[in-house]
Amino acid sequence: MKSRVRVLFVGPEPADASLLELVLGREHPTAEVVHVANPMSFGRELERGEFDLLVCDEALDWARSTTVLVEARRRCPSATVVIMGGEGGLEATREGAAEIVLSKSSAAFLELPALLEAALERRRAEDSADRLSPRIRGLLERSRVGVFRLALDGRLLEADETFLRILGARSLEEAQQLDLAGLTPKLPRGFTESGKVYKREQRLESVDGRDLWVAVTEVVGLDEDGLVVLDGLLEDIDDRKRTTEDLSSEASKLAKSNQDLSLFASVAAHELKEPLRTIEQSTRLLLEEAGVELEGEAARSAEHLVEGVGRLQSMIEGLLTLARFGGGQEWVESCDCNQIVEEVLAELKGPIDDSGAKVRVRPLPTVHADPTQLALLFRNLFSNAIRFRGEAPPRIRVSARQDGEQWIFAVEDEGVGIAPERAEKIFDRFTRGDDGGAGLGLAISKQVVERHGGRIWVESEPGEGATFFFTLPLSASGGSQSDGTPSAEPPSGASEGAGGRRG
């Protein structure tokens, strides 16, 4: 906005100009009030530049006030024009030369400071819009967003260059030949609610006959004649939409492929189990019938054959488990970890009794999880603690504590331990321990934990046992039954001694 405030008074009386300067000086002391009383000074002041407020006395003796104001409006279209008078003022407003008509009185002069402030505020808004408009236009062009106006019958009334470029049109007239009825929302009969906004994505046909995706935002408004129109933005989203469709198609193909692969794995596993079972049974029968006659290398080979069949069966089951849980959580619900651990330990009663394991379980929280996968996680960790024990019977401790927005579970044993350099590798698939297992238990455990938004790791030293930690988000928990302190007695079903649980 220009730095100075300029007010032009057109009238025969210098006293009126002085009164105007006096009333404006209280609120706008720097305002320049210029008085013109003849056509020469009027033309000269218009040449000097813009003014913010023009006040004209209807009673001019050198021209019709309406004629003077029409010229002033032509030369300074952004100024606020006030005419003081009667019939001439009404005529000036009808012809658009003046905006405000006041009766010529002292009270009317007192209204002028507020009118000047309103004029200055409008000028500030216009200047701000003028500065912002090129940036908005550049942003719309770079974003491939066009501006348009439609009649309610779908006729294109106005459009900018970006709109025309999106549709491949060289002119407004060429764009008007397109079928743009799809841009018009279905409005109720007689609907004229100004300001209503409509948004949608749809296909349009371009000038060259190509279908393209656009995003449309429209606002119901009124034009200069009071007719209902639609002012809108048209964004070119064709590349993005087609990429999304391609990704969706590929995802569907991948899902179908995974489903076929899972079915094939199930069938293959079923077909493999029977010959493996036959090999195992035949070998055991051979060992029983041969008895002491089968000695040395032949006996060891037969035993290795039985062990290899067992490992292969374990590997098949592990691979099927990975495939089954690879798609995410099957059923998420509120799970009491105390109950899940108790059920898992009951399933492992045989190995626990055989090894003499003792399990101590501190109170555990209730979490939001897939109970089947959570049970599998505890089963794998308990089985590992029993399998990789030292000379003494296994001693296993299970606990959980809250840490910020997560639960940290710990399954601690006093077994053979793990070398630090293998602490991460043991969670990889087919990383077997010294017992020759399939090497899938910890890989499955890691996948289960990560599917629930947590992580799993181990802290250990060779010969000093191992502690497996895993986290579950607190936000997905259904409540806590653990304060992180040891319980005086193990919960029911988790007592120390034979038949206890191991984790």
Side-chain angles (χ1 to χ4, degrees), residues 245-290:
E245 290 177 345
D246 291 343
L247 289 175
S248 178
S249 176
E250 290 300 320
S252 298
K253 293 178 181 177
L254 182 59
K256 179 64 167 58
S257 176
N258 286 339
Q259 184 179 9
D260 293 343
L261 183 59
S262 178
L263 178 60
F264 171 78
S266 298
V267 173
H270 178 76
E271 295 298 326
L272 284 172
K273 284 180 180 179
E274 188 59 34
L276 286 174
R277 189 179 299 111
T278 300
I279 293 172
E280 180 184 22
Q281 291 174 351
S282 299
T283 304
R284 292 187 183 279
L285 182 60
L286 176 62
L287 287 173
E288 291 175 2
E289 291 184 353

Side-chain angles (χ1 to χ4, degrees), residues 485-502:
T485 59
S487 60
E489 296 294 338
S492 175
S495 58
E496 292 189 356
R501 310 300 190 242
R502 138 73 179 152

Side-chain angles (χ1 to χ4, degrees), residues 386-500:
I386 296 173
R387 183 181 305 130
F388 299 105
R389 60 182 183 271
E391 296 182 0
R395 296 291 183 269
I396 304 167
R397 292 173 292 277
V398 186
S399 62
R401 63 182 176 86
Q402 182 179 337
D403 179 38
E405 296 300 315
Q406 64 182 359
W407 288 107
I408 299 181
F409 290 80
V411 178
E412 182 182 0
D413 63 46
E414 299 176 0
V416 297
I418 301 167
E421 61 269 18
R422 299 187 67 241
E424 294 185 9
K425 188 174 180 59
I426 61 173
F427 294 100
D428 295 340
R429 298 178 185 182
F430 306 113
T431 300
R432 295 197 293 266
D434 295 335
D435 69 338
L440 290 171
L442 290 178
I444 293 173
S445 300
K446 180 181 179 182
Q447 189 159 344
V448 168
V449 171
E450 291 179 348
R451 289 291 178 182
H452 286 78
R455 65 187 186 94
I456 186 170
W457 70 99
V458 64
E459 294 179 3
S460 178
E461 290 290 343
E464 297 183 7
T467 302
F468 284 85
F469 297 94
F470 66 90
T471 65
L472 292 177
L474 186 65
S475 59
S477 299
S480 171
Q481 297 179 11
S482 172
D483 59 6
T485 59
S487 60
E489 296 294 338
S492 175
S495 58
E496 292 189 356

Side-chain angles (χ1 to χ4, degrees), residues 30-224:
T30 61
E32 177 189 6
V33 178
V34 180
H35 175 216
V36 297
N38 58 67
M40 291 184 59
S41 59
F42 176 68
R44 184 172 60 251
E45 291 303 327
L46 289 183
E47 289 292 337
R48 287 180 58 191
E50 281 283 336
F51 48 85
D52 301 289
L53 179 67
L54 186 149
V55 181
C56 180
D57 190 335
E58 179 190 359
L60 297 179
D61 55 8
W62 46 275
R64 290 175 60 244
S65 58
T66 300
T67 303
V68 170
L69 295 182
V70 167
E71 177 64 16
R73 175 68 75 195
R74 185 183 69 83
R75 300 281 289 274
C76 302
S78 62
T80 297
V81 178
V82 178
I83 185 168
M84 289 185 167
E87 293 297 327
L90 296 177
E91 179 185 354
T93 57
R94 283 195 299 269
E95 295 189 18
E99 298 166 295
I100 301 168
V101 179
L102 298 176
S103 60
K104 187 175 180 181
S105 64
S106 298
F109 276 89
L110 294 177
E111 296 182 35
L112 295 177
L115 295 178
L116 176 59
E117 181 59 35
L120 294 175
E121 183 62 32
R122 184 176 69 178
R123 176 65 65 84
R124 284 191 287 268
E126 290 174 351
D127 289 346
S128 177
D130 289 341
R131 291 192 299 272
L132 189 60
S133 180
R135 297 201 296 271
I136 293 177
R137 172 55 50 205
L139 178 62
L140 291 175
E141 289 178 356
R142 287 191 295 274
S143 303
R144 291 186 60 79
V145 176
V147 181
F148 66 91
R149 169 172 282 189
L150 286 178
L152 288 185
D153 59 6
R155 288 181 295 112
L156 182 63
L157 303 177
E158 300 174 12
D160 70 350
E161 292 182 3
T162 305
F163 179 93
L164 300 177
R165 189 161 54 249
I166 291 174
L167 295 179
R170 290 168 293 184
S171 65
L172 177 64
E173 291 73 19
E174 189 174 19
Q176 288 172 334
Q177 303 305 312
L178 296 172
D179 180 9
L180 300 177
L183 289 179
T184 306
K186 292 182 171 27
L187 301 178
R189 184 181 297 276
F191 182 85
T192 59
E193 182 183 348
S194 181
K196 183 71 173 178
V197 179
Y198 295 89
K199 295 183 179 181
R200 64 193 178 282
E201 295 179 353
Q202 66 179 74
R203 287 183 181 271
L204 283 183
E205 184 178 345
S206 64
V207 171
D208 60 4
R210 178 174 57 92
D211 282 344
L212 61 118
W213 277 100
V214 294
V216 184
T217 301
E218 294 172 314
V219 180
V220 180
L222 301 175
D223 67 5
E224 295 77 7

